[in-house]
């Protein structure tokens, strides 16, 4: 196993169980992608020229935000299984079922500082669909889906 920042190379997938996959999903570092959107990804290279990409991105805002008011940014987790040679997508999950949000006001994005300015923020009201802002909150769900995706490939 070779770990270099956001890349993990894995040898024999047959030897990996769910617990090992969850561990890899949680330990590989997320890095910001070079794009005009707020996108973070981690890449886990598997055997048979497969790469698992896990990340999150900010949902597009349709209305212009007032910098003096509290702004809530919504993010959603996604994951994809790609061919590492051609970069073709084999399977993907962009259904936005695991989302989270962050609030900021002006240049303050630290949650405690925002709450000092605007009062207590009940993110469960604003982001009621999910409190899944950490990879460890969803790593088992991702591992289950990836194992499901890989099963027919192995046959």
């Amino acid at each position: 196993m070779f770990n270099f920042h956001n890349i993990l190379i894995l040898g024999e997938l047959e030897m990996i169980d769910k617990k090992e996959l969850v561990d890899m999903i949680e330990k590989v570092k997320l890095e910001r992608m070079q794009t005009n959107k707020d996108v973070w990804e981690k890449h886990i290279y598997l055997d048979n020229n497969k790469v698992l990409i896990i990340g999150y991105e900010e949902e597009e805002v349709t209305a212009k935000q007032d910098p003096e008011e509290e702004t809530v940014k919504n993010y959603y987790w996604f994951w994809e299984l790609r061919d590492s040679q051609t970069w073709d997508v084999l399977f993907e999950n962009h259904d936005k079922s695991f989302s989270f949000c962050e609030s900021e006001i002006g240049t303050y994005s630290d949650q405690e500082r925002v709450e000092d300015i605007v009062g207590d923020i009940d993110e469960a009201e604003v982001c009621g669909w999910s409190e899944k802002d950490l990879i460890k909150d969803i790593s088992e769900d991702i591992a289950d889906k990836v194992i499901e995706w890989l099963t027919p490939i192995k046959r």
Side-chain angles (χ1 to χ4, degrees):
M1 203 176 344
F2 172 75
N3 188 349
F4 181 75
H5 294 358
N6 72 331
I7 298 174
L8 183 69
I9 297 177
L10 173 67
E12 293 298 315
L13 191 63
E14 291 88 30
M15 300 175 68
I16 286 256
D17 64 11
K18 180 180 172 181
K19 184 179 180 319
E20 290 174 295
L21 185 55
V22 166
D23 191 47
M24 289 185 298
I25 290 168
E26 291 178 0
K27 288 187 176 178
V28 175
K29 184 178 168 185
L30 280 164
E31 292 193 11
R32 187 174 182 130
M33 297 295 98
Q34 296 296 323
T35 177
N36 58 351
K37 296 170 78 176
D38 193 3
V39 178
W40 293 74
E41 290 182 357
K42 58 174 72 187
H43 298 176
I44 302 171
Y45 286 85
L46 307 171
D47 67 336
N48 297 326
N49 299 322
K50 305 292 181 280
V51 60
L52 174 61
I53 299 170
I54 302 169
Y56 64 85
E57 76 177 83
E58 182 181 4
E59 285 192 282
E60 293 197 29
V61 179
T62 54
K64 187 171 178 163
Q65 303 288 328
D66 181 350
E68 299 301 316
E69 296 293 320
E70 177 188 6
T71 302
V72 176
K73 291 184 176 183
N74 297 309
Y75 296 88
Y76 71 91
W77 286 100
F78 64 88
W79 52 96
E80 303 171 340
L81 186 63
R82 291 179 174 256
D83 182 303
S84 64
Q85 302 290 306
T86 64
W87 218 244
D88 290 341
V89 175
L90 304 172
F91 298 96
E92 65 182 348
N93 181 334
H94 285 266
D95 66 8
K96 301 181 184 182
S97 60
F98 295 109
S99 303
F100 63 97
C101 71
E102 293 179 353
S103 56
E104 57 184 44
I105 187 165
T107 58
Y108 300 107
S109 60
D110 176 48
Q111 196 61 46
E112 283 81 37
R113 184 69 180 127
V114 171
E115 289 178 0
D116 288 343
I117 297 169
V118 298
D120 189 27
I121 299 167
D122 186 1
E123 285 188 347
E125 282 183 27
V126 179
C127 306
W129 55 91
S130 181
E131 286 292 326
K132 308 293 186 187
D133 56 341
L134 300 175
I135 192 69
K136 70 180 184 174
D137 296 332
I138 63 169
S139 58
E140 288 196 23
D141 296 292
I142 295 170
D144 286 339
K145 188 49 112 175
V146 170
I147 289 169
E148 180 183 315
W149 289 345
L150 289 170
T151 300
I153 293 173
K154 287 293 181 194
R155 292 182 188 162

